[in-house]
Amino acid sequence: MKDFIAILRRFVPPYKKYLALNIFFNILTALLTLFSFALVVPILEMLFRINEATYSMMHIGEASFKDVVVNNFYYYVQEAMNQWGAVTTLALLAFALVIMTALKTGSAFLSSYFIIPMRSGVVRDIRNYVYNKITALPIGFFTVERKGDIMARMSGDVAEIENSIMASLDMIFKNPVMIIACLGMMIAISWQMTVFVFILLPIVGVVMGRVGKRLKRTSFEGQTQWGVLMSTIEETLGGLRIIKAFNAEDKVRTRFHAENQEFYRLSNIVARRQALAHPMSEFLGTIAVAIILWFGGSLILSGHSNMNAAAFIYYMVIFYNVIPPAKDLSKAMYQIQKGLASMQRVDVILNAVNPIADPANARRLPEATAASISLENVSFSYDGEVEVLKDINLDIPAGSTVALVGQSGSGKSTLADLIPRFYDPTKGCVAVDGIDVRDLRVADLRSIMGNVNQEAILFNDTIFNNIAFGVEHATLDQVRAAARIANADDFIMATENGYDTPIGDRGCRLSGGQRQRISIARAVLKNPSVLILDEATSALDSESETLVQQALDRLMKGRTTLVIAHRLSTIRRADMICVLNQGRIVERGTHEQLIAPEAKGFYRRLVEMQQLNA
Ligand code: ADP
Ligand code: MG
């Protein structure tokens, strides 16, 4: 319960207004319920002529407020009967009952009407919080297994919160009001009977709960069997070729039919139990009512209670009325438990600490056209055990190009990721213009960086918006100029709607080279002083490679560039080449130095191999 209140405290404040309206209408509904049923009492009394007393007008203060109101009500009914006759008065009372009921149901609707925006709003807020958190957390947080888990939490758990906690909100604020109002009235009419009801009800509740539990168990077995069926179908579809090749159709059919038969058996049990639930609860409910009828009747007959028959029936009506909210309330209590478990799972994301945070007193980068990069004694490990980078020292002077080569898995991409602070080094320091990147605001640092990766990452939007992604208020002229530098303008203009052409999910309507040139145009438009090219041309065929390479050469002009590549054409013009092997820089120098006959290193072998292939 404490956790539940904590959740309300966290998420409900923006919806206080709705909550207040909801509670107001809940109270109104409860009062109207009591009074609309109260109208039944004089109707019954008149029909059966139980009440033969004569009433005279009373004034407030003559008796208790309640007695005055009841007395005057009877007085007016009596006057009406004298004036218009019993039948007309009865019709009037019946009409009043209709009006009261209309007001009551209207007010019940309004109470739901006002709680609904709160219910959907809280869930919307939670989804936004999670999304904000996802975009704020560093890349390192999202390992492959975590991605699926986060999706599950964002869809499944948030839906669970909506279905359990938020759906229960209505009940939590409505039912207690109704229950308290009804119970108050029941005690006012006959406390003896109410005490009796309190003893009887838990017994009925326990019996009904037993039935529900058995139902749940079989329905769980049914779901498991459904899972078995689904996986058989999936397996069959995947292995169809083998099934046919081995003439095993009959074999798999027999297996499937047996499993399906088991599901049929369980479905029957579940459906029959379900069909039993309603008659059962009706039967038990009626037993309870019969016992109460007997008890109340004997109270009246023995003269132990001053209830008359009409009040007794009114009591029963209210009693009937209090059962559904009481049932709902106990259901809500159970559902909230389920929702709290989901909330905990969502909170794991919301409360995750972000290690890549802005420093308290950030330093500013000087406004320079090109920035220098330096890595000093940098080591890095993803898991705290295996060192992926070991003691790296590397200087990239402003405006120069450094190429990284090395086998796949040697740590090239990891090294590149340290510069824009996608990760922080485990040891050592990465500096831009001599300032440790951890002393800069993350946004400032990344604003001077441009990335082009092997896999061009594009979004499901127009070409224009993809190029202008990192730049606000870019004009079409600027975007076109960038596209021209990136060799992309021609093919973009050839598409159906030019720059307004949507590129489809992840750019699936474009070829690899076109996607890459768009991502280069995006980097050109951002005009970064530091460029990081991670195998930007590796995934391309040689024709688009030429176009992309031209674009890259123009992009690199005058910028500090770290280029990761394995094609010689890209690397050989670099100011310095570093060979990375198992996380260490094992060779460094210019192309000429590294291929010199006396150098028998890794780079020379790489060059010889590529020349062999060419
Ligand atoms: P390269 O780009 O040179 O091919 P990477 O920098 O991608 O190499 O990877 C270097 C090493 O770090 C590899 O052994 C790889 O398995 C490991 N690695 C890469 N990314 C991760 C990650 N997110 N979590 C754990 N290990 C990783
Ligand atoms: Mg890589």
Side-chain angles (χ1 to χ4, degrees):
M1 206 58 211
K2 220 170 64 200
D3 295 340
F4 179 66
I5 291 169
I7 290 182
L8 296 188
R9 281 243 180 98
R10 245 166 92 192
F11 296 111
V12 169
Y15 304 97
K16 261 196 239 133
K17 195 181 70 195
Y18 289 117
L19 187 60
L21 282 167
N22 169 261
I23 292 177
F24 171 76
F25 280 107
N26 282 337
I27 295 174
L28 191 62
T29 310
L31 293 179
L32 286 169
T33 305
L34 292 182
F35 287 118
S36 62
F37 288 137
L39 277 175
V40 176
V41 178
I43 294 178
L44 290 171
E45 288 185 339
M46 278 192 300
L47 269 180
F48 300 113
R49 303 193 185 285
I50 295 167
N51 193 343
E52 301 281 5
T54 40
Y55 293 88
S56 56
M57 185 75 172
M58 281 170 105
H59 295 284
I60 309 264
E62 274 180 51
S64 74
F65 180 73
K66 175 194 152 214
D67 288 343
V68 173
V69 171
V70 171
N71 176 77
N72 285 0
F73 179 65
Y74 277 98
Y75 168 74
Y76 285 121
V77 172
Q78 174 195 313
E79 286 294 292
M81 278 170 73
N82 290 341
Q83 210 157 348
W84 298 307
V87 175
T88 315
T89 307
L90 196 58
L92 279 177
L93 282 175
F95 185 66
L97 178 63
V98 170
I99 299 284
M100 289 284 266
T101 309
L103 289 176
K104 179 191 88 178
T105 46
S107 155
F109 168 69
L110 283 178
S111 80
S112 301
Y113 181 88
F114 286 117
I115 200 89
I116 284 171
M118 171 169 146
R119 178 181 156 175
S120 355
V122 168
V123 180
R124 172 196 60 190
D125 295 347
I126 293 179
R127 250 185 232 118
N128 279 343
Y129 291 143
V130 175
Y131 190 82
N132 290 353
K133 189 74 189 192
I134 289 177
T135 46
L137 282 171
I139 291 174
F141 186 80
F142 303 96
T143 54
V144 180
E145 60 269 32
R146 264 199 192 151
K147 271 185 202 154
D149 191 48
I150 286 168
M151 296 283 284
R153 286 176 200 218
M154 198 151 173
S155 55
D157 285 320
V158 174
E160 181 65 50
I161 293 170
E162 167 156 32
N163 291 334
S164 51
I165 298 189
M166 292 303 137
S168 303
L169 267 187
D170 202 15
M171 300 182 200
I172 293 284
F173 290 114
K174 180 165 74 192
N175 296 344
V177 174
M178 187 60 106
I179 292 171
I180 289 170
C182 286
L183 281 183
M185 188 56 103
M186 282 162 71
I187 292 171
I189 298 171
S190 164
W191 64 266
Q192 296 103 317
M193 259 177 81
T194 310
V195 169
F196 183 71
V197 164
F198 264 82
I199 298 169
L200 189 66
L201 273 193
I203 302 174
V204 178
V206 167
V207 176
M208 287 205 210
R210 282 264 163 82
V211 177
K213 228 180 235 159
R214 290 191 55 183
L215 185 68
K216 223 182 292 158
R217 205 175 51 222
T218 19
S219 94
F220 179 74
E221 283 170 12
Q223 266 165 7
T224 316
Q225 185 61 21
W226 177 243
V228 171
L229 274 191
M230 288 326 274
S231 56
T232 303
I233 293 175
E234 201 183 302
E235 200 180 87
T236 308
L237 289 176
L240 214 49
R241 174 181 294 273
I242 300 294
I243 291 171
K244 286 183 187 297
F246 283 84
N247 275 333
E249 289 97 333
D250 279 336
K251 193 172 161 178
V252 294
R253 273 183 205 139
T254 315
R255 195 179 92 185
F256 182 79
H257 291 173
E259 285 167 0
N260 201 11
Q261 182 65 20
E262 175 63 10
F263 183 64
Y264 161 85
R265 194 182 68 82
L266 290 170
S267 306
N268 280 346
I269 298 178
V270 171
R272 284 190 177 143
R273 286 248 166 87
Q274 247 161 13
L276 183 65
H278 190 249
M280 183 87 171
S281 88
E282 194 178 320
F283 181 64
L284 286 174
T286 311
I287 291 181
V289 169
I291 295 175
I292 293 168
L293 267 177
W294 163 78
F295 183 79
S298 50
L299 269 185
I300 298 173
L301 292 176
S302 65
H304 282 304
S305 170
N306 56 0
M307 253 193 312
N308 63 22
F312 181 49
I313 292 175
Y314 177 50
Y315 184 94
M316 293 307 291
V317 171
I318 296 178
F319 171 61
Y320 244 98
N321 219 55
V322 85
I323 292 176
K327 254 192 193 164
D328 287 350
L329 194 63
S330 68
K331 204 167 87 188
M333 288 302 169
Y334 163 74
Q335 282 195 322
I336 284 173
Q337 295 304 320
K338 280 202 318 191
L340 285 178
S342 286
M343 192 66 227
Q344 265 174 7
R345 283 167 52 80
V346 171
D347 268 341
V348 171
I349 304 177
L350 288 181
N351 297 337
V353 238
N354 186 352
I356 314 268
D358 286 336
N361 301 311
R363 295 176 61 183
R364 310 289 298 186
L365 277 168
E367 300 250 342
T369 44
S372 69
I373 306 282
S374 65
L375 285 80
E376 262 175 60
N377 305 320
V378 166
S379 297
F380 178 79
S381 163
Y382 283 105
D383 51 9
E385 285 170 23
V386 187
E387 283 206 322
V388 174
L389 294 176
K390 292 161 204 147
D391 214 11
I392 302 277
N393 281 290
L394 177 64
D395 271 309
I396 313 177
S400 72
T401 297
V402 167
L404 272 184
V405 295
Q407 282 163 336
S408 166
S410 56
K412 305 181 296 293
S413 300
T414 306
L415 195 158
D417 279 349
L418 297 181
I419 298 170
R421 252 194 118 190
F422 289 154
Y423 300 94
D424 276 338
T426 327
K427 270 192 276 201
C429 137
V430 178
V432 173
D433 274 339
I435 305 173
D436 189 327
V437 289
R438 284 168 292 202
D439 291 336
L440 295 168
R441 278 185 50 215
V442 178
D444 285 348
L445 172 70
R446 291 182 189 158
S447 71
I448 63 159
M449 311 250 162
N451 282 69
V452 181
N453 302 321
Q454 178 169 357
E455 170 82 12
I457 294 171
L458 302 179
F459 298 92
N460 190 1
D461 205 335
T462 60
I463 291 178
F464 179 92
N465 285 336
N466 265 290
I467 295 178
F469 190 71
V471 179
E472 274 175 54
H473 316 300
T475 64
L476 181 61
D477 284 339
Q478 291 168 326
V479 168
R480 276 199 80 171
R484 259 186 230 113
I485 294 174
N487 271 339
D489 187 56
D490 291 341
F491 88 81
I492 293 171
M493 292 314 282
T495 58
E496 202 174 325
N497 296 313
Y499 282 82
D500 293 327
T501 310
I503 61 163
D505 207 5
R506 286 177 170 245
C508 58
R509 296 190 202 155
L510 301 173
S511 79
Q514 291 172 332
R515 283 208 291 272
Q516 199 57 292
R517 279 177 277 159
I518 288 184
S519 77
I520 292 170
R522 181 167 65 192
V524 172
L525 189 67
K526 191 181 178 190
N527 192 20
S529 36
V530 177
L531 255 188
I532 296 167
L533 309 177
D534 190 349
E535 316 225 17
T537 57
S538 309
L540 306 177
D541 54 79
S542 41
E543 185 190 359
S544 31
E545 191 190 344
T546 322
L547 284 172
V548 171
Q549 192 59 54
Q550 271 180 1
L552 285 177
D553 289 343
R554 287 190 212 129
L555 175 60
M556 286 157 67
K557 204 163 287 164
R559 303 181 209 265
T560 313
T561 308
L562 179 69
V563 52
I564 299 174
H566 55 244
R567 300 211 183 169
L568 278 180
S569 48
T570 323
I571 309 163
R572 64 191 316 159
R573 275 165 298 166
D575 299 304
M576 182 171 72
I577 299 165
C578 292
V579 179
L580 209 57
N581 189 28
Q582 295 188 347
R584 286 182 199 280
I585 297 182
V586 290
E587 281 169 53
R588 64 178 91 202
T590 60
H591 178 75
E592 281 68 31
Q593 289 166 348
L594 291 179
I595 57 161
E598 63 274 16
K600 289 206 158 36
F602 176 90
Y603 185 76
R604 201 183 144 87
R605 282 204 302 278
L606 181 85
V607 173
E608 281 165 358
M609 234 149 59
Q610 291 208 1
Q611 279 162 349
L612 222 65
N613 289 342

